[in-house]
Coordinates of all heavy atoms in Angstrom, one line a residue:
M1 N 20.8 -28.2 -5.9 CA 21.6 -27.1 -5.4 C 22.9 -26.9 -6.2 O 23.5 -27.9 -6.6 CB 22.0 -27.4 -3.9 CG 22.7 -26.3 -3.2 SD 23.0 -26.8 -1.5 CE 22.1 -25.5 -0.7
C2 N 23.2 -25.7 -6.5 CA 24.4 -25.4 -7.3 C 25.7 -25.6 -6.6 O 25.7 -25.8 -5.4 CB 24.3 -23.9 -7.8 SG 22.9 -23.5 -8.7
G3 N 26.7 -25.6 -7.3 CA 28.1 -25.8 -6.8 C 28.9 -24.5 -6.9 O 28.8 -23.9 -7.9
I4 N 29.6 -24.1 -5.8 CA 30.3 -22.9 -5.8 C 31.8 -23.2 -5.4 O 32.0 -23.9 -4.4 CB 29.7 -21.9 -4.8 CG1 28.3 -21.5 -5.3 CG2 30.6 -20.6 -4.7 CD1 27.5 -20.6 -4.4
L5 N 32.7 -22.6 -6.1 CA 34.1 -22.7 -5.8 C 34.8 -21.4 -5.8 O 34.6 -20.6 -6.8 CB 34.8 -23.7 -6.8 CG 36.3 -23.9 -6.6 CD1 36.6 -24.6 -5.4 CD2 36.9 -24.6 -7.8
G6 N 35.5 -21.0 -4.8 CA 36.2 -19.8 -4.8 C 37.7 -19.9 -4.3 O 38.0 -20.9 -3.5
C7 N 38.5 -19.0 -4.7 CA 39.9 -19.1 -4.3 C 40.5 -17.7 -4.3 O 40.2 -16.9 -5.2 CB 40.7 -20.0 -5.3 SG 42.5 -20.1 -4.9
F8 N 41.3 -17.4 -3.3 CA 42.1 -16.2 -3.2 C 43.5 -16.6 -3.0 O 43.8 -17.3 -2.1 CB 41.6 -15.3 -2.0 CG 42.4 -14.0 -2.0 CD1 41.9 -12.9 -2.6 CD2 43.6 -13.9 -1.3 CE1 42.6 -11.7 -2.6 CE2 44.2 -12.7 -1.2 CZ 43.7 -11.6 -1.9
S9 N 44.4 -16.2 -3.9 CA 45.8 -16.7 -3.9 C 46.7 -15.5 -3.4 O 46.7 -14.5 -4.0 CB 46.2 -17.1 -5.2 OG 47.6 -17.5 -5.2
F10 N 47.4 -15.8 -2.3 CA 48.3 -14.8 -1.8 C 49.7 -14.9 -2.5 O 50.4 -13.9 -2.6 CB 48.6 -15.1 -0.3 CG 47.4 -14.7 0.6 CD1 46.5 -15.7 1.0 CD2 47.1 -13.4 0.9 CE1 45.4 -15.4 1.8 CE2 46.0 -13.1 1.7 CZ 45.2 -14.1 2.1
S11 N 50.1 -16.1 -2.9 CA 51.4 -16.3 -3.4 C 51.6 -16.6 -4.9 O 52.6 -16.3 -5.4 CB 52.1 -17.5 -2.6 OG 51.3 -18.6 -2.8
Q12 N 50.6 -17.2 -5.5 CA 50.7 -17.6 -6.9 C 49.7 -16.9 -7.7 O 48.6 -16.6 -7.3 CB 50.5 -19.1 -7.1 CG 51.7 -20.0 -6.9 CD 51.3 -21.4 -7.3 OE1 50.6 -22.1 -6.5 NE2 51.7 -21.9 -8.4
P13 N 50.1 -16.6 -9.0 CA 49.0 -16.0 -9.9 C 47.9 -17.0 -10.1 O 48.1 -18.2 -10.2 CB 49.8 -15.7 -11.2 CG 51.2 -15.7 -10.8 CD 51.4 -16.6 -9.6
I14 N 46.7 -16.5 -10.0 CA 45.5 -17.4 -10.2 C 45.6 -18.1 -11.5 O 45.2 -19.3 -11.6 CB 44.2 -16.6 -10.1 CG1 43.9 -16.2 -8.6 CG2 43.0 -17.2 -10.8 CD1 43.4 -17.4 -7.8
E15 N 46.1 -17.5 -12.5 CA 46.2 -18.2 -13.8 C 47.0 -19.5 -13.7 O 46.8 -20.4 -14.4 CB 46.9 -17.3 -14.9 CG 46.0 -16.1 -15.3 CD 45.9 -14.9 -14.3 OE1 46.7 -14.9 -13.4 OE2 45.1 -14.1 -14.5
D16 N 48.1 -19.5 -12.8 CA 48.8 -20.7 -12.6 C 48.0 -21.8 -12.0 O 48.3 -23.0 -12.1 CB 50.1 -20.4 -11.8 CG 51.1 -19.5 -12.5 OD1 50.9 -19.3 -13.7 OD2 52.0 -19.1 -11.8
L17 N 47.1 -21.4 -11.2 CA 46.2 -22.4 -10.4 C 45.0 -22.8 -11.2 O 44.3 -23.7 -10.8 CB 45.8 -21.7 -9.1 CG 46.9 -21.3 -8.1 CD1 46.3 -20.6 -7.0 CD2 47.7 -22.5 -7.7
Q18 N 44.7 -22.1 -12.3 CA 43.4 -22.3 -13.0 C 43.2 -23.8 -13.4 O 42.1 -24.2 -13.3 CB 43.4 -21.4 -14.2 CG 42.0 -21.3 -14.8 CD 41.8 -20.3 -15.9 OE1 42.8 -19.7 -16.3 NE2 40.6 -20.0 -16.3
P19 N 44.2 -24.5 -13.9 CA 43.9 -25.9 -14.2 C 43.4 -26.7 -13.0 O 42.5 -27.5 -13.1 CB 45.3 -26.5 -14.7 CG 46.0 -25.2 -15.2 CD 45.6 -24.1 -14.3
A20 N 44.0 -26.5 -11.9 CA 43.6 -27.2 -10.7 C 42.2 -26.7 -10.2 O 41.4 -27.5 -9.8 CB 44.6 -27.0 -9.5
L21 N 41.9 -25.5 -10.4 CA 40.6 -24.9 -10.0 C 39.5 -25.5 -11.0 O 38.4 -25.8 -10.5 CB 40.6 -23.4 -10.0 CG 41.5 -22.8 -8.9 CD1 41.7 -21.3 -9.2 CD2 40.9 -23.0 -7.6
R22 N 39.9 -25.6 -12.2 CA 38.9 -26.2 -13.2 C 38.6 -27.6 -12.8 O 37.5 -28.1 -13.0 CB 39.4 -26.0 -14.6 CG 39.2 -24.6 -15.1 CD 39.4 -24.5 -16.6 NE 39.1 -23.2 -17.0 CZ 39.6 -22.6 -18.1 NH1 40.5 -23.2 -18.8 NH2 39.2 -21.4 -18.4
R23 N 39.6 -28.4 -12.4 CA 39.4 -29.8 -12.0 C 38.5 -29.8 -10.8 O 37.6 -30.6 -10.7 CB 40.7 -30.5 -11.7 CG 41.5 -30.9 -13.0 CD 42.7 -31.8 -12.7 NE 43.6 -31.3 -11.7 CZ 44.6 -30.5 -12.0 NH1 44.9 -30.1 -13.2 NH2 45.5 -30.1 -11.1
G24 N 38.7 -28.9 -9.9 CA 37.9 -28.8 -8.7 C 36.4 -28.5 -9.1 O 35.5 -29.1 -8.5
L25 N 36.2 -27.6 -10.0 CA 34.9 -27.3 -10.5 C 34.3 -28.5 -11.2 O 33.1 -28.8 -11.0 CB 35.0 -26.1 -11.5 CG 33.8 -25.3 -11.7 CD1 33.2 -24.7 -10.4 CD2 34.1 -24.1 -12.7
D26 N 35.1 -29.3 -11.9 CA 34.6 -30.5 -12.5 C 34.2 -31.5 -11.5 O 33.2 -32.3 -11.6 CB 35.6 -31.1 -13.5 CG 35.8 -30.3 -14.7 OD1 34.9 -29.5 -15.1 OD2 36.8 -30.5 -15.4
N27 N 34.9 -31.5 -10.3 CA 34.6 -32.5 -9.3 C 33.3 -32.2 -8.6 O 32.7 -33.1 -8.0 CB 35.7 -32.5 -8.2 CG 37.0 -33.2 -8.6 OD1 36.9 -34.0 -9.5 ND2 38.1 -32.8 -8.0
I28 N 32.7 -31.0 -8.7 CA 31.4 -30.7 -8.2 C 30.4 -30.6 -9.3 O 29.3 -30.0 -9.0 CB 31.5 -29.5 -7.2 CG1 31.9 -28.2 -8.0 CG2 32.3 -29.7 -6.0 CD1 31.8 -26.9 -7.2
S29 N 30.6 -31.2 -10.4 CA 29.7 -31.1 -11.5 C 28.3 -31.7 -11.2 O 27.3 -31.3 -11.8 CB 30.3 -31.7 -12.8 OG 30.5 -33.1 -12.6
H30 N 28.3 -32.7 -10.3 CA 27.0 -33.3 -9.9 C 26.2 -32.3 -9.2 O 24.9 -32.4 -9.1 CB 27.3 -34.5 -9.0 CG 28.0 -34.1 -7.7 ND1 29.3 -33.9 -7.6 CD2 27.5 -34.0 -6.5 CE1 29.6 -33.6 -6.4 NE2 28.5 -33.7 -5.7
R31 N 26.7 -31.2 -8.6 CA 26.0 -30.1 -8.0 C 25.3 -29.2 -9.0 O 24.4 -28.5 -8.6 CB 26.9 -29.3 -7.0 CG 27.5 -30.1 -5.9 CD 26.5 -30.7 -5.0 NE 25.7 -29.7 -4.3 CZ 25.9 -29.2 -3.1 NH1 26.9 -29.6 -2.4 NH2 25.0 -28.3 -2.6
G32 N 25.8 -29.2 -10.2 CA 25.3 -28.3 -11.2 C 25.6 -28.8 -12.6 O 26.6 -28.3 -13.2
P33 N 24.9 -29.7 -13.1 CA 25.2 -30.3 -14.4 C 24.7 -29.5 -15.6 O 25.1 -29.9 -16.7 CB 24.4 -31.7 -14.3 CG 23.3 -31.4 -13.4 CD 23.8 -30.4 -12.4
D34 N 24.0 -28.4 -15.4 CA 23.4 -27.7 -16.5 C 24.3 -26.6 -17.0 O 23.9 -26.0 -18.0 CB 22.1 -27.1 -16.0 CG 21.1 -28.2 -15.6 OD1 21.1 -29.2 -16.3 OD2 20.3 -28.0 -14.7
G35 N 25.4 -26.3 -16.4 CA 26.3 -25.3 -17.0 C 27.4 -24.9 -15.9 O 27.3 -25.3 -14.8
S36 N 28.3 -24.1 -16.4 CA 29.4 -23.7 -15.5 C 29.9 -22.3 -15.9 O 29.7 -21.9 -17.1 CB 30.5 -24.7 -15.4 OG 31.2 -24.7 -16.7
G37 N 30.4 -21.6 -15.0 CA 31.0 -20.3 -15.3 C 32.1 -20.0 -14.4 O 32.2 -20.6 -13.3
E38 N 33.0 -19.1 -14.8 CA 34.2 -18.8 -13.9 C 34.6 -17.3 -14.2 O 34.3 -16.8 -15.3 CB 35.3 -19.7 -14.1 CG 35.9 -19.8 -15.5 CD 36.9 -20.9 -15.6 OE1 37.5 -21.4 -14.6 OE2 37.3 -21.2 -16.8
M39 N 35.2 -16.7 -13.2 CA 35.7 -15.4 -13.3 C 37.1 -15.3 -12.6 O 37.2 -15.9 -11.5 CB 34.7 -14.4 -12.7 CG 35.1 -13.0 -12.8 SD 35.2 -11.9 -11.4 CE 35.9 -12.8 -10.1
I40 N 38.0 -14.6 -13.2 CA 39.3 -14.4 -12.6 C 39.5 -12.9 -12.6 O 39.3 -12.2 -13.7 CB 40.5 -15.0 -13.4 CG1 40.3 -16.5 -13.3 CG2 41.8 -14.6 -12.8 CD1 41.3 -17.3 -14.1
R41 N 39.8 -12.3 -11.5 CA 40.1 -10.9 -11.4 C 41.2 -10.8 -10.3 O 41.0 -11.0 -9.1 CB 38.9 -10.1 -11.0 CG 39.3 -8.6 -10.9 CD 38.1 -7.7 -10.8 NE 37.2 -7.8 -11.9 CZ 35.9 -7.7 -11.8 NH1 35.4 -7.6 -10.6 NH2 35.2 -7.8 -12.9
G42 N 42.4 -10.4 -10.8 CA 43.5 -10.2 -9.9 C 43.8 -11.6 -9.2 O 44.2 -12.5 -9.9
Q43 N 43.8 -11.6 -7.9 CA 44.1 -12.8 -7.1 C 42.9 -13.6 -6.7 O 42.9 -14.5 -5.9 CB 44.8 -12.4 -5.8 CG 46.1 -11.7 -6.1 CD 46.7 -11.1 -4.8 OE1 46.3 -10.0 -4.4 NE2 47.7 -11.8 -4.2
V44 N 41.7 -13.3 -7.3 CA 40.5 -14.0 -7.0 C 39.9 -14.8 -8.1 O 39.9 -14.4 -9.3 CB 39.4 -12.9 -6.6 CG1 38.1 -13.5 -6.3 CG2 39.9 -12.1 -5.4
Y45 N 39.5 -16.0 -7.8 CA 38.8 -16.9 -8.7 C 37.5 -17.3 -8.2 O 37.3 -17.6 -7.0 CB 39.6 -18.2 -8.9 CG 38.9 -19.3 -9.7 CD1 39.1 -19.3 -11.1 CD2 38.1 -20.2 -9.1 CE1 38.5 -20.3 -11.9 CE2 37.4 -21.2 -9.9 CZ 37.6 -21.2 -11.3 OH 37.0 -22.1 -12.0
L46 N 36.4 -17.2 -9.0 CA 35.1 -17.6 -8.7 C 34.6 -18.6 -9.7 O 34.7 -18.3 -10.9 CB 34.1 -16.4 -8.6 CG 34.3 -15.3 -7.6 CD1 33.3 -14.2 -7.8 CD2 34.2 -15.8 -6.2
G47 N 34.2 -19.8 -9.3 CA 33.7 -20.8 -10.2 C 32.3 -21.2 -9.7 O 31.9 -21.2 -8.5
H48 N 31.4 -21.5 -10.7 CA 30.0 -21.9 -10.4 C 29.6 -23.0 -11.3 O 29.8 -23.0 -12.5 CB 29.1 -20.6 -10.7 CG 27.7 -20.9 -10.3 ND1 26.8 -21.2 -11.2 CD2 27.1 -20.7 -9.1 CE1 25.6 -21.3 -10.6 NE2 25.8 -21.0 -9.3
R49 N 28.9 -24.0 -10.7 CA 28.3 -25.1 -11.5 C 26.8 -24.8 -11.3 O 26.3 -24.7 -10.2 CB 28.6 -26.4 -10.9 CG 30.1 -26.8 -11.1 CD 30.5 -27.0 -12.6 NE 29.6 -27.9 -13.3 CZ 29.9 -28.5 -14.4 NH1 31.0 -28.3 -15.0 NH2 29.0 -29.3 -15.0
R50 N 26.1 -24.8 -12.4 CA 24.7 -24.4 -12.4 C 23.7 -25.6 -12.5 O 23.8 -26.5 -13.3 CB 24.4 -23.5 -13.7 CG 23.0 -23.0 -13.7 CD 22.9 -21.9 -14.8 NE 21.6 -21.4 -14.9 CZ 21.0 -21.1 -16.0 NH1 21.6 -21.2 -17.1 NH2 19.7 -20.7 -16.0
L51 N 22.7 -25.5 -11.6 CA 21.6 -26.4 -11.7 C 20.4 -25.6 -12.0 O 19.9 -24.7 -11.2 CB 21.4 -27.1 -10.3 CG 20.2 -28.0 -10.2 CD1 20.3 -29.2 -11.2 CD2 20.1 -28.6 -8.8
S52 N 19.8 -25.8 -13.2 CA 18.7 -24.9 -13.7 C 17.4 -25.5 -13.1 O 17.0 -26.6 -13.5 CB 18.7 -25.0 -15.2 OG 19.8 -24.4 -15.7
I53 N 16.8 -24.7 -12.2 CA 15.5 -25.2 -11.7 C 14.5 -24.1 -12.0 O 13.4 -24.5 -12.5 CB 15.6 -25.3 -10.1 CG1 16.6 -26.5 -9.8 CG2 14.3 -25.6 -9.5 CD1 16.8 -26.7 -8.4
I54 N 14.7 -22.9 -11.7 CA 13.7 -21.8 -11.9 C 13.9 -21.1 -13.2 O 13.1 -21.1 -14.1 CB 13.7 -20.8 -10.7 CG1 13.4 -21.6 -9.4 CG2 12.8 -19.7 -10.9 CD1 13.6 -20.8 -8.2
D55 N 15.0 -20.5 -13.4 CA 15.3 -19.7 -14.6 C 16.2 -20.6 -15.5 O 17.3 -20.8 -15.2 CB 16.0 -18.4 -14.3 CG 16.1 -17.5 -15.5 OD1 15.9 -18.0 -16.6 OD2 16.4 -16.3 -15.3
L56 N 15.6 -21.0 -16.6 CA 16.3 -21.9 -17.5 C 17.1 -21.2 -18.6 O 17.8 -21.8 -19.4 CB 15.4 -22.9 -18.2 CG 14.5 -23.7 -17.2 CD1 13.6 -24.6 -17.9 CD2 15.4 -24.5 -16.2
T57 N 17.0 -19.8 -18.6 CA 17.7 -19.1 -19.7 C 19.1 -18.8 -19.3 O 19.5 -18.9 -18.2 CB 16.9 -17.7 -19.9 OG1 17.1 -16.9 -18.7 CG2 15.4 -17.9 -20.1
E58 N 19.9 -18.4 -20.4 CA 21.3 -18.0 -20.2 C 21.4 -16.7 -19.3 O 22.5 -16.4 -18.8 CB 22.0 -17.8 -21.5 CG 22.3 -19.1 -22.2 CD 23.2 -20.0 -21.4 OE1 24.2 -19.6 -20.9 OE2 22.8 -21.2 -21.2
A59 N 20.3 -16.0 -19.2 CA 20.4 -14.7 -18.4 C 20.7 -15.0 -16.9 O 21.1 -14.2 -16.2 CB 19.1 -14.0 -18.5
A60 N 20.4 -16.3 -16.5 CA 20.7 -16.6 -15.1 C 22.1 -17.3 -14.9 O 22.4 -17.7 -13.8 CB 19.6 -17.6 -14.6
S61 N 22.9 -17.3 -16.0 CA 24.2 -17.9 -15.8 C 25.1 -17.0 -14.9 O 24.9 -15.8 -14.8 CB 24.9 -17.9 -17.2 OG 24.2 -18.9 -18.0
Q62 N 26.0 -17.7 -14.2 CA 26.8 -17.0 -13.3 C 28.3 -17.3 -13.6 O 28.6 -18.2 -14.3 CB 26.5 -17.6 -11.9 CG 25.1 -17.2 -11.4 CD 24.9 -17.6 -10.0 OE1 25.8 -17.4 -9.1 NE2 23.8 -18.2 -9.7
P63 N 29.2 -16.5 -13.1 CA 29.0 -15.3 -12.2 C 28.2 -14.2 -12.9 O 28.3 -13.9 -14.1 CB 30.4 -14.8 -11.9 CG 31.3 -15.9 -12.4 CD 30.6 -16.7 -13.4
L64 N 27.4 -13.5 -12.1 CA 26.7 -12.3 -12.5 C 27.6 -11.1 -12.3 O 28.3 -11.0 -11.3 CB 25.4 -12.1 -11.7 CG 24.4 -13.3 -11.8 CD1 23.2 -13.0 -10.9 CD2 23.9 -13.4 -13.3
K65 N 27.6 -10.2 -13.3 CA 28.4 -9.0 -13.2 C 27.5 -7.8 -13.2 O 26.4 -7.7 -13.7 CB 29.3 -8.9 -14.5 CG 30.3 -10.0 -14.6 CD 31.1 -9.9 -15.8 CE 32.1 -11.1 -15.9 NZ 32.8 -11.1 -17.1
S66 N 28.0 -6.7 -12.5 CA 27.3 -5.5 -12.5 C 27.4 -4.9 -13.9 O 28.1 -5.3 -14.7 CB 28.0 -4.5 -11.5 OG 29.3 -4.2 -11.9
R67 N 26.6 -3.8 -14.1 CA 26.5 -3.2 -15.4 C 27.9 -2.7 -15.9 O 28.2 -2.7 -17.0 CB 25.5 -2.1 -15.4 CG 24.1 -2.6 -15.3 CD 23.1 -1.5 -15.4 NE 21.8 -2.0 -15.2 CZ 20.7 -1.3 -15.1 NH1 20.8 0.0 -15.2 NH2 19.6 -1.9 -15.0
T68 N 28.7 -2.2 -14.9 CA 30.0 -1.7 -15.3 C 31.1 -2.8 -15.2 O 32.2 -2.5 -15.5 CB 30.4 -0.6 -14.3 OG1 30.5 -1.2 -13.0 CG2 29.4 0.5 -14.3
A69 N 30.7 -4.0 -14.9 CA 31.6 -5.2 -14.7 C 32.7 -5.0 -13.7 O 33.7 -5.7 -13.7 CB 32.2 -5.5 -16.1
E70 N 32.4 -4.0 -12.8 CA 33.4 -3.8 -11.7 C 33.2 -4.8 -10.5 O 34.1 -5.0 -9.7 CB 33.3 -2.4 -11.1 CG 33.7 -1.3 -12.1 CD 33.6 0.1 -11.6 OE1 33.6 0.2 -10.3 OE2 33.5 1.0 -12.4
A71 N 32.0 -5.4 -10.4 CA 31.7 -6.3 -9.4 C 31.1 -7.6 -10.0 O 30.3 -7.5 -10.9 CB 30.7 -5.7 -8.4
S72 N 31.4 -8.7 -9.3 CA 30.8 -10.0 -9.8 C 30.4 -10.7 -8.5 O 30.9 -10.5 -7.4 CB 31.9 -10.8 -10.5 OG 32.3 -10.2 -11.6
I73 N 29.4 -11.6 -8.7 CA 28.9 -12.4 -7.6 C 28.4 -13.8 -8.1 O 28.0 -13.9 -9.2 CB 27.7 -11.7 -6.9 CG1 27.2 -12.4 -5.6 CG2 26.5 -11.5 -7.9 CD1 26.2 -11.7 -4.8
I74 N 28.6 -14.8 -7.2 CA 28.0 -16.1 -7.5 C 27.2 -16.4 -6.2 O 27.6 -16.0 -5.1 CB 29.1 -17.2 -7.7 CG1 30.1 -17.3 -6.6 CG2 29.7 -17.0 -9.1 CD1 31.1 -18.4 -6.8
Y75 N 26.1 -17.1 -6.4 CA 25.3 -17.4 -5.2 C 24.4 -18.6 -5.5 O 24.3 -19.0 -6.7 CB 24.4 -16.2 -4.8 CG 23.5 -15.7 -5.9 CD1 22.2 -16.2 -5.9 CD2 23.9 -14.9 -6.9 CE1 21.3 -15.8 -6.9 CE2 23.0 -14.5 -7.9 CZ 21.7 -15.0 -7.9 OH 20.8 -14.6 -8.8
N76 N 23.7 -19.1 -4.5 CA 22.8 -20.1 -4.7 C 21.5 -19.7 -4.1 O 21.3 -19.2 -3.1 CB 23.2 -21.4 -4.0 CG 22.3 -22.6 -4.3 OD1 21.8 -22.6 -5.4 ND2 22.2 -23.5 -3.4

């Protein structure tokens, strides 16, 4: 099962929290040892640790973005 980490910051810029968020993502590396991805947009951070079971290609890397890159999603 993959690992998912998300954060919405009301008071601090996400960039200031990014080192701590990356440590949090590293802490769940056992949930997804095959890769990781992250996205920052405004006050939102999405992090993903990947466990490759079905799709082993990079096309399945997350976060997934819409064609216009206006929307992103992480899921298991």
Side-chain angles (χ1 to χ4, degrees):
M1 182 176 243
C2 299
I4 295 172
L5 177 68
C7 178
F8 183 91
S9 177
F10 290 99
S11 58
Q12 274 186 284
I14 282 290
E15 289 80 8
D16 293 349
L17 301 172
Q18 193 172 11
L21 292 167
R22 283 191 173 155
R23 284 192 304 275
L25 205 53
D26 288 343
N27 285 337
I28 59 171
S29 64
H30 64 282
R31 299 296 302 260
D34 299 323
S36 67
E38 59 185 348
M39 185 231 41
I40 295 175
R41 182 171 297 142
Q43 297 172 282
V44 176
Y45 173 90
L46 298 176
H48 185 265
R49 293 295 307 200
R50 183 171 179 217
L51 178 61
S52 299
I53 295 175
I54 298 173
D55 189 347
L56 306 178
T57 69
E58 286 300 311
S61 294
Q62 295 187 44
L64 296 175
K65 296 179 182 176
S66 65
R67 289 185 185 173
T68 61
E70 291 180 25
S72 297
I73 186 173
I74 55 175
Y75 64 94
N76 188 29

